[in-house]
């Protein structure tokens, strides 16, 4: 069984007690249908090393939706990046954020190797790491500010990126939003909303109309994330 506590000091300072796998699975089962949908968005606001996010990513990558793309590395790569891009975490401790990113990356990469075999390439791997770098934020989920390596608030607000392939081609689009705008948007009544999807689940279609004013939009080939992103 995984250790639920690292040190007593960390429990006292940061309330750091990790959730056991059995509880994680049972809670994910409550929104099972969403965990198996590639582009359903999930946010864990005190993610630790990603116990919930790891389980959600596994379910997404092994879903029947992803199985359909097994014959085409191009389709599997794009949709698996979409799955990664749908998973968000915040933690105020940098070591937890790094562990969380590494853990999600190794889950994604293991599945990538299994499915795409000789077609695997390092460009897509770099793109996967880039998405995780942005989606797993070292921040304070109460003040909604990024934090420094001592877990102290900085002047930078938490920003989350919405990833999509709006034209269903090789170009991935990224829209940046501040975190508080997304949270506020969630509190507004929605036209089409499933009530069972509120806790970890953010939204299926956040948009400017629903309260989120985005900061900037970028696009680039999905294998070149972080290298040739252009502002749209
Ligand atoms: C109880 S642990 C839960 C970890 C993980 N969600 C799990 O269930 O295994 C709480 C985590 O929240 C982080 N944390 C505490 N206060 C926070 C805050 N204000 N903003 C972001 N993270 C915070 C701690 O560093 C710790 O990793």
């Amino acid at each position: 069984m995984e250790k639920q506590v690292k040190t007593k000091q960390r429990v006292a300072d940061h309330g750091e007690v990790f959730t056991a796998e059995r509880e994680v699975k049972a809670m994910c089962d409550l929104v099972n249908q969403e965990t198996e949908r590639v582009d359903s968005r999930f946010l864990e606001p005190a993610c630790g090393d990603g116990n919930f996010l790891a389980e959600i990513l596994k379910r997404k990558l092994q879903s029947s939706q992803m199985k359909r793309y097994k014959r085409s590395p191009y389709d599997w790569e794009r949709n698996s990046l979409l799955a990664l891009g749908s998973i968000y975490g915040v933690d105020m401790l940098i070591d937890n954020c790094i562990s969380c990113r590494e853990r999600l990356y190794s889950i994604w990469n293991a599945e990538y190797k299994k499915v795409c075999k000789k077609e695997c390439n390092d460009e897509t791997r770099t793109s996967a790491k880039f998405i995780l770098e942005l989606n797993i934020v070292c921040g304070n989920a109460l003040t909604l500010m990024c934090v420094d390596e001592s877990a102290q608030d900085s002047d930078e607000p938490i920003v989350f990126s919405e990833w999509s392939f709006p034209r269903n081609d090789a170009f991935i689009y990224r829209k940046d939003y501040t975190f508080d705008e997304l949270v506020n948007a969630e509190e507004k009544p929605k036209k089409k909303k499933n009530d069972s999807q509120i806790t970890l689940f953010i939204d299926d279609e956040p948009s400017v109309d629903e309260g989120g004013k985005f900061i900037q939009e970028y696009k680039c080939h999905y294998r070149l994330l972080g290298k040739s992103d252009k502002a749209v």
Side-chain angles (χ1 to χ4, degrees):
M1 192 174 134
E2 291 285 306
K3 269 179 75 176
Q4 287 184 263
V5 169
K6 285 184 183 166
T7 64
K8 282 186 184 168
Q9 196 59 47
R10 286 172 71 109
V11 177
D13 292 346
H14 305 291
E16 189 191 64
V17 179
F18 297 106
T19 308
E21 196 180 356
R22 194 181 59 173
E23 278 73 43
V24 170
K25 285 184 189 295
M27 286 176 73
C28 288
D29 286 346
L30 297 174
V31 287
N32 189 41
Q33 221 180 332
E34 290 305 330
T35 62
E36 292 185 351
R37 205 155 64 82
V38 167
D39 56 355
S40 273
R41 296 189 178 90
F42 286 84
L43 164 65
E44 196 179 354
C47 64
D49 62 358
N51 282 329
F52 285 92
L53 301 181
E55 177 65 21
I56 291 164
L57 181 61
K58 283 181 201 160
R59 291 181 186 216
K60 281 173 179 261
L61 295 180
Q62 284 158 17
S63 65
S64 51
Q65 196 183 348
M66 285 306 293
K67 286 196 176 98
R68 286 208 298 272
Y69 305 125
K70 277 191 165 178
R71 288 208 193 105
S72 159
Y74 168 75
D75 283 334
W76 197 92
E77 284 177 354
R78 289 187 319 137
N79 283 282
S80 71
L81 292 182
L82 212 50
L84 268 186
S86 71
I87 285 175
Y88 302 87
V90 179
D91 202 281
M92 66 194 316
L93 298 180
I94 184 71
D95 60 345
N96 280 343
C97 292
I98 292 170
S99 305
C100 182
R101 290 180 193 131
E102 288 174 353
R103 183 174 178 189
L104 296 176
Y105 176 77
S106 68
I107 290 167
W108 175 86
N109 195 37
E111 199 64 22
Y112 185 36
K113 282 195 269 191
K114 208 159 82 187
V115 174
C116 296
K117 302 188 176 80
K118 285 183 190 159
E119 309 277 343
C120 289
N121 60 81
D122 287 342
E123 288 84 2
T124 306
R125 290 190 168 107
T126 304
S127 290
K129 286 181 184 165
F130 182 77
I131 290 173
L132 288 169
E133 191 65 33
L134 266 60
N135 277 25
I136 308 303
V137 181
C138 198
N140 184 332
L142 297 177
T143 61
L144 307 174
M145 302 303 281
C146 293
V147 297
D148 61 22
E149 297 213 347
S150 323
Q152 299 304 308
D153 282 15
S154 71
D155 297 332
E156 297 288 320
I158 291 177
V159 170
F160 275 135
S161 304
E162 176 197 4
W163 306 91
S164 63
F165 287 92
R167 298 179 211 292
N168 200 22
D169 58 13
F171 284 88
I172 188 163
Y173 284 62
R174 173 184 131 213
K175 279 187 193 171
D176 287 349
Y177 296 83
T178 54
F179 183 58
D180 55 341
E181 278 159 355
L182 278 180
V183 172
N184 293 338
E186 179 61 38
E187 283 163 2
K188 290 182 183 169
K190 294 276 171 66
K191 281 168 245 152
K192 299 175 277 174
K193 189 78 190 167
N194 179 342
D195 287 338
S196 67
Q197 301 166 357
I198 323 175
T199 43
L200 276 170
F201 178 52
I202 303 180
D203 197 357
D204 50 358
E205 289 173 5
S207 73
V208 179
D209 302 349
E210 290 176 341
K213 181 186 77 188
F214 71 94
I215 305 165
Q216 183 60 273
E217 184 173 19
Y218 303 89
K219 80 167 195 181
C220 75
H221 191 286
Y222 77 89
R223 287 188 178 172
L224 295 173
L225 276 176
K227 290 182 194 139
S228 75
D229 317 48
K230 286 203 177 68
V232 176

